[in-house]
Amino acid sequence: MGKLTINKQKKKDSILNTAFELFTTKGIVKTSISDIADSAGVAKGTFYLYFKDKYDLKNKLVSYKSSQLFKTAVTNMEKQNLSNLEDKIIFIVDDIINQLKSNKILLSFIAKNLSWGIFKNVITADTEADNEDNSFREIYYKMLSEENFEIEEPEIMLFLIVELVSSTCYSAILYNEPTEFEKIKPFLYNSIRSIIWNHKNK
Amino acid sequence: MGKLTINKQKKKDSILNTAFELFTTKGIVKTSISDIADSAGVAKGTFYLYFKDKYDLKNKLVSYKSSQLFKTAVTNMEKQNLSNLEDKIIFIVDDIINQLKSNKILLSFIAKNLSWGIFKNVITADTEADNEDNSFREIYYKMLSEENFEIEEPEIMLFLIVELVSSTCYSAILYNEPTEFEKIKPFLYNSIRSIIWNHKNK
Amino acid sequence: MGKLTINKQKKKDSILNTAFELFTTKGIVKTSISDIADSAGVAKGTFYLYFKDKYDLKNKLVSYKSSQLFKTAVTNMEKQNLSNLEDKIIFIVDDIINQLKSNKILLSFIAKNLSWGIFKNVITADTEADNEDNSFREIYYKMLSEENFEIEEPEIMLFLIVELVSSTCYSAILYNEPTEFEKIKPFLYNSIRSIIWNHKNK
Amino acid sequence: MGKLTINKQKKKDSILNTAFELFTTKGIVKTSISDIADSAGVAKGTFYLYFKDKYDLKNKLVSYKSSQLFKTAVTNMEKQNLSNLEDKIIFIVDDIINQLKSNKILLSFIAKNLSWGIFKNVITADTEADNEDNSFREIYYKMLSEENFEIEEPEIMLFLIVELVSSTCYSAILYNEPTEFEKIKPFLYNSIRSIIWNHKNK
DNA sequence: GATGAATGAGCATTCATTCAT
DNA sequence: CATGAATGAATGCTCATTCAT
């Protein structure tokens, strides 16, 4: 990477970090491009050299932050010696939930902005542009293939789990609604196990 | 009701209906109060006689539309002679899903704007201010009491079902993601049955 | 006065009192006719039965409050047995200043809104529509006639005194600018005595 | 100064001049920011690049115009060979009054908006940001020090003179109230001489 | 590539005034 | 007399976007 390119990346990163800060404190609608440029210490025009508009920036942020979440969880999971699919999935879910519990700002940001559409990109794409990591999708299918039974409709299963987890986390962790998350957790994890069980090709 | 009062209600309803139309076609952010007032055929100032701002109006709309959905589903369910809790709940879920499938605009509007916070109001309040209907919460507990087993943490169970259904519907019905809804349906309903089963106090 | 007329007067007084309250707390520009009507407990339309607009009301308030000030001061002065013009005028000035010092809200309101144009009406008109009081102008000329010397240009003398007193009071009593009023007072009163002396026809 | 900086100053000046014109013809309340921007030939948004709001602009105008008045009067006074304080002060007062008599629009604008608070800034600050002029306050104290007697409470003396002159000018010059200014003038100037005399430390 | 002054469309909100009841 | 719902012009202010430097 040339010096210039490094400088460019610095600017872009500065905008990304500043924007995350502002989005999560002021809200996306109330954050203007002026705000971002000012806080990032770049000129307003510079913003447009890197992002189409505020929502382009937002989507890139959501993808990046979400993929980091998965990457970390998978890395941690692989250190364990888990023998079956249910345990592996529950571990990943649990790890992600723990990350979010200790970073409620991130939870709020992701929950409000993550749709299945964006999520598909997240799990399909390599987590970083220029690295050797496998995508989460590949890891997922590898996990499935290691079992001695087959999973029917693995995409649907993943979908059900992701939607259930993300929507319940948001309400329960951030607002204790309908009750504190710890009380919901056993039922949630049982539900996940049931979902997996329902997809087992018997 | 005096002539004036009727006229007032007419104006308010006109604004509500117009706003729903605009919110679902242009989106809430892009719909201005001018748009609403113009389309509703009232002066801009009139809007402020009935609503605090755009978001006050939005919340009132979400509540109203959601409660209608439940009211219809429960009414239909009661006409059946369903003997057990799972069947009743699945029936209600299925009825609501059918309503939403035939009214995708409504689905889009509710899914984007219904949080558990608003939902709590919806199921607690009578569906209409001055009528004899029971709230959905009452109906739900009555349903539970008619079984010869007990449900552990009924609020959590309701929460899990509602979050799972609403988040999967949105993506699957509107965008066929991860696949068409009909393929997801059996797994979804099985998941719901599992969730209920997990809450049975054995 | 008929019952109806009494009721009307009540409404009018209610508007006047409420408006004074609002004008002095929120400021005249930021007080709307709605504010006044709401606080006074009358309908918005009713306002227009009694006043042309906000500024009509304001002028009537200024006149009324100012004339009360003078009336009180003159009444107190007449109880004293003051033998010469300087002492009488200084007494009146001092009495008014004391009233204003103990009612800074009133001072603020009058100072901001009293122009010589309004003041002329105040000193010319009877203090109340239907009573036997003399106007301040008559009292002033009677005071002058009781001296054994003549005052040259009595209107100019009154003008100079009123302008000097009112502009210095505002700044000194309310904001202690350029310094606390008590320190300015002896110089102010000496200035007034000098002004009177300058108008003595020698 | 770069081309850009010159252009910026031009824009700002254009807004200032236009605003003065509008404030003095339509009044401040009735002058909208749109009016100012339109007349100045700039976009509405440009206004906000230079001023916080209408009242920020107004205060800057009052300060600037007042300081110009004093600067001119002092310059003229210094050309005379006046030997004593009274004559110097009367000369300055007279010069300012003459400026105002020939520029009634300016008189009206300053009289309505100059408070002692703003005046203090005017006499303290250098008349222009980056020049060698002394502030009026320095000039005033230098004048006092050249006398062979002492002035007690010079701030109060200045205050009394300024308040007396400004409030009488407004009414007399603009509205001939209570009578034409030329008839009031001798009494006013005598009053000023008396005020100075009262502050002489005898 | 980077800047930031300038733009002007666009928006929410207020409020004096009217008039049918 | 009194009401208060309805009006819609008017205003302050924001902000994404452009473009000359």
Side-chain angles (χ1 to χ4, degrees):
Chain A
M1 256 196 278
K3 206 173 182 180
L4 213 90
T5 325
I6 290 173
N7 216 316
K8 273 179 67 178
Q9 190 59 41
K10 245 191 193 162
K11 287 235 163 93
K12 199 175 172 181
D13 285 351
S14 172
I15 293 173
L16 277 164
N17 292 328
T18 305
F20 180 72
E21 183 73 24
L22 290 171
F23 284 171
T24 52
T25 48
K26 301 179 60 171
I28 293 176
V29 172
K30 297 230 164 182
T31 299
S32 71
I33 288 171
S34 274
D35 290 338
I36 299 169
D38 286 354
S39 301
V42 301
K44 233 187 297 199
T46 308
F47 179 93
Y48 291 94
L49 298 175
Y50 298 106
F51 303 98
K52 201 185 144 288
D53 58 25
K54 201 163 65 176
Y55 298 98
D56 176 35
L57 166 55
K58 184 202 75 176
N59 286 336
K60 284 177 174 153
L61 261 181
V62 176
S63 293
Y64 177 69
K65 295 285 182 180
S66 312
S67 63
Q68 286 300 79
L69 225 46
F70 272 83
K71 201 177 154 184
T72 304
V74 167
T75 305
N76 289 339
M77 185 270 286
E78 284 169 343
K79 286 181 201 149
Q80 316 294 317
N81 230 330
L82 302 172
S83 58
N84 66 71
L85 185 65
E86 284 96 326
D87 288 353
K88 288 178 186 169
I89 288 180
I90 293 287
F91 185 92
I92 291 173
V93 166
D94 194 58
D95 190 279
I96 289 175
I97 285 173
N98 285 331
Q99 290 182 58
L100 294 174
K101 275 175 67 179
S102 64
N103 192 350
K104 294 187 179 175
I105 284 171
L106 180 62
L107 167 57
S108 177
F109 179 68
I110 288 181
K112 275 189 204 129
N113 298 294
L114 186 63
S115 66
W116 182 257
I118 295 182
F119 184 75
K120 258 197 356 182
N121 294 332
V122 171
I123 61 169
T124 306
D126 293 342
T127 45
E128 287 288 301
D130 54 333
N131 73 10
E132 73 288 10
D133 291 350
N134 291 327
S135 72
F136 180 73
R137 167 166 275 135
E138 288 175 50
I139 293 164
Y140 177 59
Y141 277 107
K142 196 161 142 274
M143 266 162 55
L144 298 187
S145 70
E146 285 162 5
E147 299 296 308
N148 55 4
F149 53 84
E150 229 174 76
I151 288 292
E152 214 181 338
E153 298 289 354
E155 295 277 319
I156 292 177
M157 185 177 97
L158 182 60
F159 172 67
L160 289 173
I161 294 171
V162 168
E163 293 291 343
L164 179 61
V165 171
S166 63
S167 56
T168 50
C169 275
Y170 179 66
S171 178
I173 296 180
L174 290 184
Y175 304 110
N176 288 321
E177 282 286 350
T179 185
E180 63 198 280
F181 183 71
E182 290 304 315
K183 280 191 72 175
I184 293 173
K185 202 193 235 175
F187 296 99
L188 175 62
Y189 289 4
N190 277 341
S191 300
I192 294 171
R193 286 183 191 277
S194 301
I195 289 173
I196 298 170
W197 200 87
N198 289 337
H199 283 258
K200 278 192 187 163
N201 213 339
K202 289 144 287 190
Chain B
M1 253 197 282
K3 208 173 180 179
L4 210 87
T5 322
I6 290 172
N7 219 313
K8 274 178 69 176
Q9 191 58 43
K10 246 190 195 161
K11 285 249 157 80
K12 199 175 172 180
D13 285 350
S14 170
I15 293 172
L16 277 165
N17 292 329
T18 305
F20 179 72
E21 183 71 24
L22 290 171
F23 283 172
T24 52
T25 49
K26 301 180 58 171
I28 292 176
V29 172
K30 296 233 166 183
T31 299
S32 72
I33 286 168
S34 275
D35 290 339
I36 299 170
D38 286 355
S39 302
V42 300
K44 226 190 300 197
T46 307
F47 177 93
Y48 291 95
L49 294 177
Y50 298 105
F51 305 98
K52 205 186 140 288
D53 57 26
K54 203 163 65 176
Y55 298 97
D56 176 36
L57 166 55
K58 183 202 75 175
N59 286 336
K60 282 174 177 156
L61 262 180
V62 175
S63 293
Y64 177 70
K65 296 283 184 182
S66 312
S67 64
Q68 286 300 79
L69 225 46
F70 272 82
K71 203 176 153 183
T72 303
V74 168
T75 305
N76 289 340
M77 185 271 286
E78 283 170 345
K79 286 181 201 146
Q80 317 294 317
N81 232 331
L82 302 173
S83 57
N84 65 71
L85 186 66
E86 284 95 326
D87 289 353
K88 288 177 187 169
I89 288 180
I90 292 288
F91 186 93
I92 291 174
V93 166
D94 194 59
D95 189 280
I96 289 175
I97 285 173
N98 285 330
Q99 290 181 59
L100 293 173
K101 274 174 68 178
S102 65
N103 191 349
K104 293 188 180 175
I105 284 171
L106 179 62
L107 167 57
S108 175
F109 178 68
I110 287 181
K112 274 192 205 127
N113 298 293
L114 186 62
S115 68
W116 182 258
I118 294 182
F119 183 76
K120 261 199 351 184
N121 293 332
V122 171
I123 61 169
T124 306
D126 292 343
T127 45
E128 288 288 303
D130 53 333
N131 72 8
E132 72 287 9
D133 292 351
N134 290 327
S135 72
F136 179 73
R137 167 164 275 134
E138 289 173 51
I139 293 163
Y140 177 60
Y141 278 104
K142 197 161 142 275
M143 268 162 54
L144 299 187
S145 69
E146 285 162 6
E147 300 296 309
N148 55 5
F149 53 83
E150 230 173 75
I151 288 292
E152 216 182 336
E153 300 287 354
E155 295 276 320
I156 293 176
M157 186 177 96
L158 182 59
F159 172 68
L160 289 172
I161 296 171
V162 167
E163 292 291 344
L164 180 60
V165 171
S166 63
S167 55
T168 50
C169 276
Y170 179 67
S171 177
I173 298 181
L174 290 184
Y175 303 110
N176 289 321
E177 281 286 349
T179 184
E180 62 198 281
F181 184 72
E182 289 305 316
K183 280 190 72 175
I184 293 173
K185 202 192 236 177
F187 296 99
L188 175 61
Y189 289 4
N190 277 340
S191 300
I192 294 171
R193 287 183 191 276
S194 301
I195 290 173
I196 298 171
W197 199 85
N198 288 337
H199 283 260
K200 277 192 189 165
N201 213 340
K202 287 143 290 189
Chain C
M1 260 197 274
K3 206 173 181 179
L4 213 91
T5 324
I6 289 173
N7 216 315
K8 274 179 66 180
Q9 190 59 42
K10 246 190 191 160
K11 288 234 160 93
K12 199 176 170 181
D13 285 349
S14 172
I15 294 173
L16 277 164
N17 292 328
T18 304
F20 180 73
E21 184 72 24
L22 291 171
F23 284 170
T24 52
T25 48
K26 301 179 58 171
I28 292 176
V29 171
K30 298 231 164 180
T31 300
S32 70
I33 287 172
S34 274
D35 290 337
I36 298 170
D38 286 355
S39 303
V42 300
K44 233 188 299 198
T46 308
F47 178 93
Y48 292 94
L49 298 175
Y50 297 106
F51 304 98
K52 199 184 145 288
D53 58 26
K54 200 164 65 175
Y55 297 98
D56 175 36
L57 166 55
K58 184 203 75 176
N59 287 336
K60 282 176 176 154
L61 261 181
V62 176
S63 293
Y64 177 69
K65 295 286 184 179
S66 312
S67 64
Q68 286 300 78
L69 224 46
F70 272 84
K71 201 176 153 183
T72 303
V74 168
T75 304
N76 289 340
M77 187 270 287
E78 282 169 345
K79 285 182 202 146
Q80 317 292 317
N81 229 331
L82 301 172
S83 58
N84 66 70
L85 186 64
E86 283 95 328
D87 289 354
K88 288 177 185 168
I89 289 180
I90 293 288
F91 185 93
I92 291 173
V93 166
D94 194 60
D95 189 280
I96 288 175
I97 285 173
N98 285 330
Q99 289 182 57
L100 294 173
K101 275 174 66 178
S102 64
N103 192 348
K104 292 185 180 179
I105 284 171
L106 180 62
L107 167 58
S108 177
F109 177 68
I110 288 182
K112 273 191 205 127
N113 298 293
L114 185 62
S115 67
W116 182 257
I118 295 183
F119 184 75
K120 257 197 357 183
N121 294 332
V122 171
I123 62 169
T124 305
D126 293 342
T127 45
E128 289 286 303
D130 55 331
N131 71 10
E132 71 289 8
D133 293 350
N134 290 327
S135 72
F136 179 72
R137 168 166 272 135
E138 288 174 50
I139 292 164
Y140 177 58
Y141 278 105
K142 195 160 143 274
M143 265 162 56
L144 298 187
S145 69
E146 284 162 5
E147 298 295 308
N148 56 5
F149 54 83
E150 228 173 75
I151 288 292
E152 217 182 337
E153 298 289 353
E155 294 277 319
I156 293 177
M157 186 177 96
L158 182 60
F159 172 68
L160 290 173
I161 294 171
V162 167
E163 293 291 345
L164 179 61
V165 171
S166 64
S167 55
T168 51
C169 275
Y170 179 66
S171 177
I173 296 180
L174 289 184
Y175 302 110
N176 288 322
E177 281 286 349
T179 186
E180 62 198 282
F181 184 71
E182 289 305 315
K183 278 190 73 175
I184 293 173
K185 201 193 237 176
F187 295 99
L188 175 61
Y189 288 5
N190 278 341
S191 299
I192 294 171
R193 286 182 192 277
S194 300
I195 290 173
I196 298 172
W197 200 86
N198 288 337
H199 282 259
K200 278 192 187 165
N201 212 339
K202 287 144 291 187
Chain D
M1 254 196 283
K3 210 170 177 179
L4 211 87
T5 323
I6 289 172
N7 219 313
K8 274 177 69 177
Q9 191 58 42
K10 247 190 193 160
K11 285 249 158 77
K12 199 175 172 182
D13 286 350
S14 171
I15 293 173
L16 276 165
N17 292 328
T18 305
F20 180 72
E21 183 72 24
L22 290 171
F23 283 172
T24 52
T25 49
K26 301 180 59 173
I28 293 176
V29 172
K30 297 233 164 180
T31 299
S32 72
I33 286 167
S34 276
D35 290 338
I36 298 170
D38 286 355
S39 302
V42 300
K44 226 191 303 196
T46 308
F47 178 93
Y48 291 95
L49 295 177
Y50 298 106
F51 304 99
K52 206 184 138 287
D53 58 25
K54 202 163 64 176
Y55 298 99
D56 176 35
L57 166 54
K58 184 202 75 174
N59 286 336
K60 282 175 177 155
L61 261 182
V62 175
S63 292
Y64 176 69
K65 295 285 184 180
S66 311
S67 65
Q68 287 300 76
L69 224 46
F70 271 84
K71 201 177 155 183
T72 304
V74 167
T75 305
N76 288 341
M77 186 271 286
E78 283 168 345
K79 285 181 201 150
Q80 317 294 315
N81 229 330
L82 301 173
S83 57
N84 67 70
L85 186 65
E86 283 96 328
D87 289 354
K88 289 176 185 168
I89 289 180
I90 293 289
F91 186 93
I92 291 172
V93 167
D94 193 61
D95 190 279
I96 289 175
I97 285 173
N98 284 331
Q99 289 181 59
L100 294 173
K101 275 173 68 177
S102 64
N103 192 348
K104 292 186 179 175
I105 284 171
L106 180 62
L107 167 58
S108 174
F109 178 67
I110 288 182
K112 273 190 205 128
N113 298 294
L114 184 64
S115 68
W116 183 256
I118 295 183
F119 183 75
K120 259 198 353 186
N121 293 333
V122 171
I123 61 170
T124 305
D126 292 343
T127 45
E128 289 286 304
D130 55 333
N131 70 11
E132 72 289 7
D133 294 351
N134 290 326
S135 72
F136 179 73
R137 168 165 274 134
E138 288 174 51
I139 293 164
Y140 177 61
Y141 277 106
K142 195 162 143 274
M143 266 161 55
L144 298 186
S145 70
E146 284 162 5
E147 298 296 308
N148 55 4
F149 55 83
E150 233 174 72
I151 287 292
E152 218 182 334
E153 300 288 354
E155 295 276 319
I156 293 177
M157 186 176 97
L158 183 59
F159 173 67
L160 290 174
I161 294 171
V162 167
E163 292 291 345
L164 179 60
V165 171
S166 64
S167 55
T168 50
C169 276
Y170 179 66
S171 176
I173 295 179
L174 290 184
Y175 303 110
N176 289 322
E177 281 287 349
T179 185
E180 61 198 281
F181 183 70
E182 289 305 315
K183 279 190 74 176
I184 293 173
K185 201 193 237 178
F187 295 100
L188 175 62
Y189 288 5
N190 276 341
S191 300
I192 293 171
R193 287 182 190 277
S194 301
I195 289 173
I196 298 171
W197 200 86
N198 288 336
H199 282 260
K200 278 191 188 166
N201 213 340
K202 286 143 291 188

